[in-house]
Amino acid sequence: MSRRGLVAGNWKMNGLIEAADALVSGILAGLAQRGGKVQCDVLVCPPFTAIQSVGKRIAGSAIKLGGQNMSEHTPGAHTGEITGQMLTNIGCSFVILGHSERRSMYGEDSQLVSRKMASAYRDGLTPIVCVGETLQERESGKTLDVIRGQVSAIFPNLPADTAKREQLVLAYEPVWAIGTGKTASPEQAQEVHAFIRGMLVEQLGGGVANKVRILYGGSVKPDNAKVIFSKPDVDGGLIGGAALKPEDFLGIIDGF
Ligand code: 13P
């Protein structure tokens, strides 16, 4: 595979500073046991309040740091919001955008997510844009239509620069698989990933499309990671629950 794998931990709204420090220390210790060598990139996305402290712990290690959300706006009167620059300022290089929890609980639609993606690039971050269908949408045969709608919204706001386009990360997270213990089968994941790759080829050309990493998220665990990651268009995982336990997160990294 020409793409390097990526395992990203989305800690969601979990972890006071002490717990976040303990979690990342456990991950660091596990990586050290592996001689610091892993076959994929590793990213952690702590809650905002713990990013700086976690950043200090991982300094000089292979672990990268990301935020879970950001504002589309430049600095100004936006109470309660965070700019991408504020994230880079505390050591982040990635940001998760359009997670299904933000779409369903905070009214983020694909146009807003797309504008946030443009802002993330502007601020020097690599965006991880999440897409995925609900159970109802899957059961009514609308999965690929939903994915098409969510993915097509990003193209108008993608920078023209090839290197930036190649940097893009997408995450396919079927809503029905998030936190439910129900994982998409490797075949179901591959079907959607291949569909997304096809859209990227059409819009951006094969050169760029084959560099973009597409992660799978939704109940990834150490015992199912390897088979999911073995699919040709699955380039890693966006991990929720299992990212909160060092041994589970490390077990998933070992899937590569
Ligand atoms: P779980 O791994 O807990 O299913 O969560 C997936 C997710 O939402 C990652 O962003």
Side-chain angles (χ1 to χ4, degrees), residues 98 100 103 110-111 129-135 137-138 141-155 170-176 184 188-200 203 214-217:
S100 71
R103 291 177 189 258
S110 295
Q111 279 63 43
V129 178
C130 304
V131 298
E133 82 287 2
T134 63
L135 184 60
E137 288 162 342
R138 175 161 283 267
K142 294 194 190 123
T143 298
L144 299 183
D145 289 338
V146 171
I147 301 299
R148 186 185 294 109
Q150 293 173 339
V151 174
S152 54
I154 66 176
F155 297 119
L170 293 171
Y172 169 54
E173 298 205 309
V175 178
W176 48 272
Q188 284 173 323
Q190 170 58 23
E191 183 197 11
V192 176
H193 284 230
F195 178 77
I196 295 172
R197 184 91 55 207
M199 288 186 69
L200 296 172
Q203 295 289 327
I214 308 174
L215 311 182
Y216 168 79

Side-chain angles (χ1 to χ4, degrees), residues 121 161-169 207-209 211-213:
Y121 275 120
D161 181 66
T162 301
K164 287 200 166 180
R165 291 180 165 197
E166 291 175 354
Q167 229 183 306
L168 177 68
V169 181
V208 169
K211 294 269 172 51
V212 171
R213 292 185 285 189

Side-chain angles (χ1 to χ4, degrees), residues 10 12 96 99-101 130 173 177-181 217-221 238-242:
N10 173 10
K12 306 193 178 182
I96 299 169
H99 190 278
S100 71
E101 289 148 19
C130 304
E173 298 205 309
I178 295 176
T180 58
S219 298
V220 179
K221 303 279 181 284
L238 184 54
I239 319 301

Side-chain angles (χ1 to χ4, degrees), residues 94-105:
F94 286 80
V95 63
I96 299 169
L97 297 173
H99 190 278
S100 71
E101 289 148 19
R102 299 233 40 104
R103 291 177 189 258
S104 67
M105 298 176 197

Side-chain angles (χ1 to χ4, degrees), residues 35-245:
K37 289 197 198 89
V38 283
Q39 302 306 315
C40 61
D41 291 337
V42 178
L43 167 69
V44 294
C45 301
F48 290 134
T49 51
I51 291 177
Q52 209 168 3
S53 182
V54 166
K56 285 191 185 137
R57 301 228 164 200
I58 62 174
S61 81
I63 303 180
K64 296 179 168 64
L65 199 55
Q68 300 173 14
N69 179 34
M70 59 172 273
S71 166
E72 64 173 309
H73 297 294
T74 48
H78 296 281
T79 301
E81 292 288 302
I82 292 263
T83 66
Q85 225 183 3
M86 290 168 183
L87 290 175
T88 54
N89 192 225
I90 53 171
C92 291
S93 48
F94 286 80
V95 63
I96 299 169
L97 297 173
H99 190 278
S100 71
E101 289 148 19
R102 299 233 40 104
R103 291 177 189 258
S104 67
M105 298 176 197
Y106 302 99
E108 295 197 7
D109 62 18
S110 295
Q111 279 63 43
L112 173 61
V113 174
S114 179
R115 293 195 301 274
K116 287 190 176 195
M117 177 196 69
S119 303
Y121 275 120
R122 178 201 63 209
D123 292 344
L125 291 162
T126 296
I128 302 177
V129 178
C130 304
V131 298
E133 82 287 2
T134 63
L135 184 60
Q136 199 196 6
E137 288 162 342
R138 175 161 283 267
E139 286 179 342
S140 53
K142 294 194 190 123
T143 298
L144 299 183
D145 289 338
V146 171
I147 301 299
R148 186 185 294 109
Q150 293 173 339
V151 174
S152 54
I154 66 176
F155 297 119
N157 286 322
L158 263 187
D161 181 66
T162 301
K164 287 200 166 180
R165 291 180 165 197
E166 291 175 354
Q167 229 183 306
L168 177 68
V169 181
L170 293 171
Y172 169 54
E173 298 205 309
V175 178
W176 48 272
I178 295 176
T180 58
K182 281 189 205 158
T183 321
S185 70
E187 292 70 30
Q188 284 173 323
Q190 170 58 23
E191 183 197 11
V192 176
H193 284 230
F195 178 77
I196 295 172
R197 184 91 55 207
M199 288 186 69
L200 296 172
V201 171
E202 234 173 65
Q203 295 289 327
L204 309 175
V208 169
N210 287 319
K211 294 269 172 51
V212 171
R213 292 185 285 189
I214 308 174
L215 311 182
Y216 168 79
S219 298
V220 179
K221 303 279 181 284
D223 61 4
N224 60 22
K226 199 179 180 68
V227 58
I228 296 174
F229 296 165
S230 72
K231 290 291 170 187
D233 287 297
V234 179
D235 306 313
L238 184 54
I239 319 301
L244 298 174
K245 291 189 195 136

